């Protein structure tokens, strides 16, 4: 993880992978936050990190989990960073997709993650399209989680599990399963 932190610090001035104010607390603010997703993910089966950016949580997960992992990132500069990270840390099970989420074609996934990407209602549409019937989505969410769940409720049905975040006291990790459009 130290080498990964160093790689982010090296690339960050050129392509703004993380906010400059977060660089001093990179380990606690980002990496530790991502590590807490691991116990919520299935051990086997392909997964995807949507809007992977700096590889948070995608690269962190790939370092700890050897199942196939797809990193979807439309910003070509950030996708280049992800390719370099996968090469440098010998992660042959990682595939980087420099494409928009709506355009990417992936096998049915066991899990989908996304961190600080979009409101829950939008993420559910992506997850529903990409997940296998028994797949799960794990989304870290902040203090607006209840409002996001309320906004999504008229459009989506799902089983919701909440786990407190160890990295941010006002945040939660949502593990969602049985995702389907309301009225389906």
């Amino acid at each position: 993880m130290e080498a990964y932190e160093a790689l982010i610090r090296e690339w960050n001035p050129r392509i703004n992978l993380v906010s400059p104010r977060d660089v001093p607390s990179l380990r606690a603010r980002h990496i530790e936050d991502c590590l807490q997703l691991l116990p919520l993910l299935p051990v086997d089966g392909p997964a995807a990190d949507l809007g992977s950016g700096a590889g948070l949580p995608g690269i962190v997960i790939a370092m700890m989990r050897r199942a196939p992992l797809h990193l979807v990132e439309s910003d070509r500069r950030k996708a280049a960073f992800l390719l370099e990270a996968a090469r440098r840390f010998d992660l042959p099970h990682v595939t980087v997709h420099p494409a928009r989420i709506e355009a990417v074609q992936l096998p049915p996934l066991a899990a989908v993650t996304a961190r600080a990407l979009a409101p829950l209602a939008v993420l559910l549409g992506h997850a529903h399209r990409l997940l296998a019937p028994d797949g799960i989505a794990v989304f870290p969410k902040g203090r607006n989680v209840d409002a996001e769940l309320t906004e999504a409720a008229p459009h989506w049905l799902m089983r919701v599990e909440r786990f407190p975040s160890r990295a941010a006291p006002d945040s939660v990790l949502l593990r969602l399963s049985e995702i389907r459009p309301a009225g389906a």
Side-chain angles (χ1 to χ4, degrees):
M1 292 297 167
E2 288 176 14
Y4 177 50
E5 277 184 74
L7 185 65
I8 291 174
R9 290 176 196 275
E10 176 187 329
W11 282 61
N12 204 58
R14 292 187 306 254
I15 62 173
N16 196 36
L17 295 165
V18 297
S19 168
R21 72 178 175 352
D22 286 346
V23 171
S25 59
L26 190 57
R27 173 70 58 108
R29 172 77 177 90
H30 292 289
I31 294 176
E32 296 296 329
D33 189 42
C34 294
L35 286 170
Q36 66 183 342
L37 274 65
L38 283 166
L40 303 179
L41 295 171
V43 175
D44 297 317
D49 180 34
L50 307 178
S52 204
L56 298 161
I59 294 293
V60 173
I61 290 168
M63 290 178 168
M64 308 299 288
R65 182 181 182 271
R66 292 295 174 192
L69 184 60
H70 300 271
L71 306 181
V72 181
E73 176 54 57
S74 64
D75 183 315
R76 298 228 179 244
R77 298 168 310 142
K78 291 178 181 178
F81 170 81
L82 295 170
L83 286 166
E84 175 60 15
R87 183 198 65 77
R88 188 173 295 189
F89 303 119
D90 191 26
L91 303 171
H93 57 292
V94 168
T95 303
V96 176
H97 301 270
R100 296 196 47 80
I101 298 164
E102 299 84 357
V104 74
Q105 296 297 314
L106 300 175
L109 301 170
V112 169
T113 64
R115 184 173 176 263
L117 178 64
L120 184 60
V122 173
L123 293 175
L124 290 168
H126 298 314
H128 180 259
R129 182 177 77 81
L130 297 170
L131 286 172
D134 60 345
I136 64 159
V138 178
F139 301 135
K141 286 292 176 180
R143 64 179 64 103
N144 294 328
V145 66
D146 290 326
E148 289 192 45
L149 284 164
T150 299
E151 181 184 330
H155 310 286
W156 294 100
L157 301 174
M158 71 205 101
R159 181 172 173 244
V160 178
E161 296 173 272
R162 293 175 183 236
F163 300 88
S165 171
R166 295 185 310 269
D170 60 347
S171 298
V172 298
L173 306 174
L174 294 179
R175 182 167 55 189
L176 308 172
S177 57
E178 303 171 25
I179 300 167
R180 62 196 183 283

